Amino acid sequence: MKRRRTWLLASVALLLAVLGNWWLNQRGDRNTGRTDRPVASFDYALSDYRATLFDAEGKVSLRVAGPRLEHDPATREARLEQPRFELPGDDAAWTGRADRAVLARDDDTLALIGNVVAERPHPRGTVTIEAERLDHDRRAAQLVSDRQVRVRQAGDELTGGTLVYFMNDDRVELENDVHAIYRRDVGDAADVDSRGDRDPAPGTGSDER
C-alpha cells in the first residue's frame, strides 16, 4: 500500500513537472515570436502629396508638393521630403526646391533645408537665391537665412553670411562677409562706384568688393 502511494505521488509530481515545462515553453514561444514595433513619431503620412495653405484673409500663402509628408502631432509640424514650393507674391511668385523641409503650422514658418534654390521672375532678370537653409516667415513676408547664401540676377552675384529678403518691398539685406560681383559695360561699372546703382543689365567686365 505504501509502495503504491509512493508511486502515485511520483506520477503526480512528474505530471506537474511536464505540464509546468510545457507552459513555460509556450510562453517562451509567444515572447520569441512577438516583435517590438517602434513607436511612430507621426500620426499620419501622405505620399505624392500636394498642399495649399491660406492666410487669415483667405489668400493662398503657400503651395507645396513632394513625394512624402509626415505630420507630428506633438509639435504640429509636417516633415517634407524633397519639397517643391511656391510662395505667391503681388508681382510674381517664388518657386523652388530643397532636400527637405519642416512646416510649422503654429508659427507660420517653412524651413527649407539642404540645397535650397528659390527663383522669382523679374523684368531685369530672374532672381535666384541659393542656400543650405532658407526660412519663409509667412506672417512677416520674409525669406531669412542665417547661413552662407548667394543671390544671383542677370550675371550679378551677391554672397553673404546672413540674408533677409523683404518680400513686400522687394528688398534684400546681406550681412557678414558680404561680397558682390557686378558684370556690365565699363561705363555702367563706373556708375556703380559713384551712385551704387545695382541695375543688373548684363555686359562685359566685373566689379568685385
Side-chain angles (χ1 to χ4, degrees):
M1 186 64 144
K2 185 177 180 180
R3 182 178 299 176
R4 181 179 299 177
R5 184 180 300 172
T6 301
W7 180 86
L8 181 60
L9 291 174
S11 299
V12 172
L14 179 61
L15 179 61
L16 290 175
V18 172
L19 290 175
N21 185 57
W22 175 83
W23 182 74
L24 290 174
N25 287 336
Q26 290 296 315
R27 284 183 59 85
D29 292 341
R30 286 197 296 269
N31 291 335
T32 301
R34 185 175 59 191
T35 58
D36 295 330
R37 295 182 179 179
V39 178
S41 60
F42 57 90
D43 57 351
Y44 67 83
L46 304 175
S47 298
D48 296 327
Y49 67 90
R50 291 181 180 272
T52 302
L53 279 69
F54 299 85
D55 60 18
E57 299 177 354
K59 297 181 180 179
V60 176
S61 60
L62 171 65
R63 292 186 178 94
V64 63
R68 185 170 177 83
L69 177 152
E70 296 179 354
H71 181 263
D72 187 339
T75 60
R76 286 177 53 84
E77 293 180 345
R79 297 187 294 268
L80 318 176
E81 294 182 5
Q82 300 176 359
R84 304 179 304 277
F85 60 89
E86 177 184 336
L87 310 175
D90 293 336
D91 297 328
W94 285 93
T95 59
R97 63 188 184 275
D99 290 342
R100 62 187 186 279
V102 177
L103 176 62
R105 295 298 304 275
D106 291 342
D107 296 333
D108 282 339
T109 59
L110 174 67
L112 301 160
I113 305 168
N115 297 312
V116 183
V117 177
E119 295 181 332
R120 175 179 179 269
H122 191 276
R124 292 179 295 174
T126 299
V127 180
T128 301
I129 298 177
E130 300 173 348
E132 278 304 304
R133 171 156 182 159
L134 186 66
D135 294 344
H136 174 229
D137 187 332
R138 296 195 298 279
R139 294 177 183 174
Q142 294 178 356
L143 296 173
V144 181
S145 180
D146 60 357
R147 305 179 187 181
Q148 187 73 22
V149 64
R150 179 169 63 175
V151 182
R152 294 185 291 110
Q153 183 183 28
D156 293 346
E157 182 175 309
L158 299 171
T159 60
T162 64
L163 171 142
V164 179
Y165 190 96
F166 300 89
M167 302 176 69
N168 293 337
D169 299 332
D170 194 18
R171 177 169 56 90
V172 61
E173 291 183 359
L174 291 166
E175 294 184 356
N176 298 336
D177 195 24
V178 178
H179 296 272
I181 299 176
Y182 302 126
R183 296 181 175 89
R184 63 196 67 224
D185 294 335
V186 176
D188 290 340
D191 289 340
V192 171
D193 293 333
S194 61
R195 296 184 289 104
D197 183 10
R198 295 193 299 179
D199 181 7
T204 60
S206 64
D207 176 29
E208 183 171 358
R209 300 177 183 177

